[in-house]
């Protein structure tokens, strides 16, 4: 009887430890390419860090389809994955108007599309943490709000 009780206690500790680790290390199941679609390839990306702690909260991705000339942006969460938190991504190409996806998201904001051939685009995103603090991507230029990429 003692042996069965000891084995049950060991099993309970292992299950508890494994369960806690699984919750702490939730991985985002999405990729930028899967969200943007067939033919889109990575051009650039920029992390979103918590300025106070340095924790990686997510990454803003810029992709382009070389066959169509269209670009795509997505913000993938690295923290708060599976929890509804405000997440944003935007794309502002020279040739067409500004496009944004902004709201409470579980995994990602976007995709946002725009025609990029032969011009420049401003792009970026943000994540709001559980306390309500807004965190913008690392290269966010205060004057324009985003990063600039030219094609």
């Amino acid at each position: 009887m003692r042996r069965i009780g000891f084995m049950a206690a060991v099993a309970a500790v292992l299950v508890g430890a494994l369960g806690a680790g699984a919750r702490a290390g939730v991985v985002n199941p999405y990729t930028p390419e899967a969200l943007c679609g067939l033919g889109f390839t990575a051009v650039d990306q920029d992390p979103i860090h918590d300025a106070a702690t340095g924790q990686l909260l997510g990454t803003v991705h810029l992709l382009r389809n070389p066959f169509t000339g269209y670009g795509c942006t997505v913000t993938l969460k690295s923290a708060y994955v599976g929890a509804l938190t405000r997440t944003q991504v935007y794309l502002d190409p020279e040739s067409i108007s500004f496009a944004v996806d902004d709201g409470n998201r579980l995994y990602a904001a976007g995709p946002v599309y725009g025609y990029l051939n032969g011009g420049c685009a401003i792009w970026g995103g943000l994540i709001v943490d559980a306390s309500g603090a807004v965190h913008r991507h690392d290269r966010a230029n205060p004057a324009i709000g985003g990063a600039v990429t030219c094609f």
Side-chain angles (χ1 to χ4, degrees):
M1 261 327 200
R2 266 193 221 162
R3 185 174 186 168
I4 292 172
F6 174 75
M7 295 302 283
V10 169
V13 168
L14 287 174
V15 168
L18 291 174
R23 282 190 300 271
V26 177
V27 175
N28 197 320
Y30 295 97
T31 65
E33 293 81 6
L35 290 171
C36 288
L38 189 63
F40 282 90
T41 58
V43 172
D44 203 353
Q45 65 182 26
D46 201 31
I48 301 171
H49 286 102
D50 182 317
T53 67
Q55 176 188 12
L56 178 65
L57 301 177
T59 304
V60 184
H61 297 268
L62 173 65
L63 296 87
R64 184 173 172 268
N65 185 320
F67 301 108
T68 65
Y70 275 83
C72 174
T73 54
V74 296
T75 298
L76 291 181
K77 292 168 57 172
S78 299
Y80 314 112
V81 176
L84 285 172
T85 56
R86 182 175 169 218
T87 308
Q88 179 191 87
V89 68
Y90 58 88
L91 181 61
D92 188 11
E94 287 180 325
S95 60
I96 60 173
S97 62
F98 180 84
V100 64
D101 180 36
D102 187 349
N104 291 329
R105 305 288 186 262
L106 294 171
Y107 302 99
V112 171
Y113 298 97
Y115 190 70
L116 301 178
N117 248 6
C120 298
I122 299 170
W123 57 279
L126 62 83
I127 293 176
V128 176
D129 68 21
S131 73
V134 176
H135 304 278
R136 300 188 186 284
H137 61 102
D138 289 359
R139 289 186 291 168
N141 179 328
I144 61 172
V148 176
T149 302
C150 296
F151 298 91

